């Protein structure tokens, strides 16, 4: 009897499937990011699991929307004492009001000093942080793309960073352009590298099929660990389509 988990994609939804010696099929959606897991009896094949998931898709979407709503409620206010993440590490935010150009400075491996203009509101403080994250991420990306262009043998003609609700990255194959989620600035650099590799492998294989998996295994054998790290780390409410 195998209790190994594997994954299937149903309507762009990643579903963890585990087979067990049980009578009924169990479907659950887990916080914080709405991971979908099915425990299926040994005799139930993937096609039957797929149909079961499709029949409950409205319920799954409702659960996922609920988790996302909870995440929004605990939205950051950018005040001292909050936890904020950078490159996979937690920092304590320390807001300093000062009449000087705003900036963010990491200190003692512990503090994230946000220097903001006197009287700036939450939206302004947030903007300073977002621009800082964007700048850091944008400087981390080019060397990784260059490294993997060489290793994979493909060319990225353009790359961009933007906020995305549901994906870590996307690839426009015709334009050889990749988009990366700004949230990746908060994740470890190995996770950023994994997403870059994933999107670049799409230049060889459009679909998330067996060939794609073979290529990922070849270029980045530890990619499953990185995927799990990305989707389980704090602040990750995004789901990712594979
Ligand atoms: Zn993909």
């Amino acid at each position: 009897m195998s209790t190994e988990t594997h994954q299937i994609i149903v309507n762009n939804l990643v579903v963890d499937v585990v087979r067990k010696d049980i009578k009924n099929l169990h479907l659950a959606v887990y916080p914080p990011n709405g991971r979908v897991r099915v425990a299926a009896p040994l005799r139930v094949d993937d096609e039957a699991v797929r149909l079961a998931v499709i029949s409950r898709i409205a319920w799954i979407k409702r659960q996922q929307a609920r988790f996302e709503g909870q995440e929004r409620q605990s939205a950051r206010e950018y005040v001292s004492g909050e936890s904020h993440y950078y490159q996979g590490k937690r920092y304590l935010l320390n807001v300093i009001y000062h009449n000087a150009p705003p900036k963010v400075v990491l200190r003692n491996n512990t503090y994230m000093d946000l220097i903001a203009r006197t009287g700036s509101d939450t939206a302004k403080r947030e903007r300073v942080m977002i621009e800082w994250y964007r700048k850091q991420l944008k400087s981390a990306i080019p060397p990784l793309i260059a490294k993997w262009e060489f290793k994979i043998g493909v060319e990225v003609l353009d790359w961009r960073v933007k906020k995305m609700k549901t994906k870590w990255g996307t690839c426009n194959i015709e334009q050889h352009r990749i988009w990366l989620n700004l949230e990746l600035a908060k994740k470890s650099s190995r996770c950023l590298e994994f997403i870059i590799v994933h999107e670049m492998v799409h230049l060889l294989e459009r679909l998330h099929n067996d060939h794609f998996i073979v290529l990922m295994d070849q270029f980045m054998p530890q990619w499953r660990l990185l995927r799990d790290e990305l989707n389980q780390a704090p602040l990750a409410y995004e789901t990712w389509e594979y």
Side-chain angles (χ1 to χ4, degrees), residues 24 29 39 43 70 78 114 119 125 132 141 149 160 162 181 189 200 204 226 240:
N24 298 306
V29 181
R43 65 193 152 73
Q70 285 168 354
Y78 302 91
L114 166 59
R125 294 194 302 275
W132 180 75
I141 291 167
E149 278 183 328
R160 296 179 193 180
K162 67 171 175 176
N181 194 328
S189 50
M200 288 176 71
L204 297 177
L226 299 170
W240 193 43

Side-chain angles (χ1 to χ4, degrees), residues 169-171 198-199 202 205-208 212 240-242:
T170 63
C171 180
H198 175 105
E199 301 310 336
H202 275 309
E205 174 56 63
R206 173 184 300 267
L207 303 170
H208 295 137
F212 187 89
W240 193 43
E241 28 81 68
Y242 116 102

Side-chain angles (χ1 to χ4, degrees), residues 2-241:
S2 164
T3 53
E4 204 190 327
T5 304
H6 70 284
Q7 295 182 317
I8 60 172
I9 311 287
V10 185
N11 287 15
N12 277 335
L13 212 65
V14 185
V15 178
D16 288 341
V17 180
V18 58
R19 288 226 160 56
K20 289 181 174 176
D21 189 12
I22 49 177
K23 275 211 161 56
N24 298 306
L25 184 145
H26 300 281
L27 189 155
V29 181
Y30 291 96
N33 51 354
R35 184 170 69 91
V36 181
R37 180 179 181 273
V38 170
L42 298 171
R43 65 193 152 73
V44 173
D45 66 11
D46 278 358
E47 191 47 36
V49 171
R50 181 183 305 276
L51 291 172
V53 170
I54 286 172
S55 74
R56 292 166 177 84
I57 210 100
W59 178 81
I60 292 168
K61 298 275 183 199
R62 273 203 307 280
Q63 301 306 308
Q64 291 183 329
R66 202 163 60 87
F67 293 140
E68 202 175 317
Q70 285 168 354
E71 184 71 33
R72 280 211 199 90
Q73 280 164 25
S74 65
R76 298 289 183 269
E77 291 176 63
Y78 302 91
V79 292
S80 293
E82 280 178 354
S83 291
H84 287 262
Y85 286 78
Y86 174 61
Q87 290 192 342
K89 192 183 174 320
R90 189 167 71 97
Y91 290 87
L92 270 179
L93 190 67
N94 181 42
V95 183
I96 301 161
Y97 292 99
H98 189 58
N99 273 325
K103 61 178 175 178
V104 176
V105 181
L106 300 179
R107 180 164 53 88
N108 289 351
N109 229 3
T110 306
Y111 297 101
M112 187 180 281
D113 288 337
L114 166 59
I115 290 104
R117 289 200 185 273
T118 309
S120 60
D121 58 13
T122 305
K124 283 201 176 119
R125 294 194 302 275
E126 179 181 32
R127 203 178 319 137
V128 175
M129 293 276 286
I130 287 173
E131 286 319 307
W132 180 75
Y133 276 125
R134 191 185 299 277
K135 196 172 154 221
Q136 303 304 311
L137 187 60
K138 282 187 154 184
S139 71
I141 291 167
L144 290 172
I145 288 180
K147 170 183 168 182
W148 287 95
E149 278 183 328
F150 178 75
K151 286 193 170 203
I152 300 174
V154 294
E155 197 180 2
V156 175
L157 295 179
D158 191 16
W159 57 269
R160 296 179 193 180
V161 167
K162 67 171 175 176
K163 289 185 101 167
M164 287 185 268
K165 269 261 165 279
T166 59
K167 288 176 182 175
W168 291 112
T170 63
C171 180
N172 181 317
I173 293 163
E174 287 73 26
Q175 308 286 327
H176 280 234
R177 177 194 301 137
I178 63 176
W179 292 88
L180 298 162
N181 194 328
L182 179 60
E183 287 291 303
L184 286 166
K186 298 173 185 172
K187 307 298 180 183
S188 67
S189 50
R190 59 182 180 272
C191 286
L192 169 64
E193 185 165 20
F194 160 56
I195 297 300
I196 288 173
V197 172
H198 175 105
E199 301 310 336
M200 288 176 71
V201 165
H202 275 309
L203 297 173
L204 297 177
E205 174 56 63
R206 173 184 300 267
L207 303 170
H208 295 137
N209 54 17
D210 290 346
H211 181 222
F212 187 89
I213 304 282
V214 165
L215 291 169
M216 284 303 295
D217 285 344
Q218 176 191 330
F219 292 121
M220 196 173 242
Q222 78 283 24
W223 68 269
R224 289 176 183 82
L225 291 173
L226 299 170
R227 176 197 61 197
D228 293 347
E229 179 182 336
L230 255 184
N231 289 327
Q232 284 165 15
L235 298 187
Y237 56 84
E238 303 87 352
T239 54
W240 193 43
E241 28 81 68

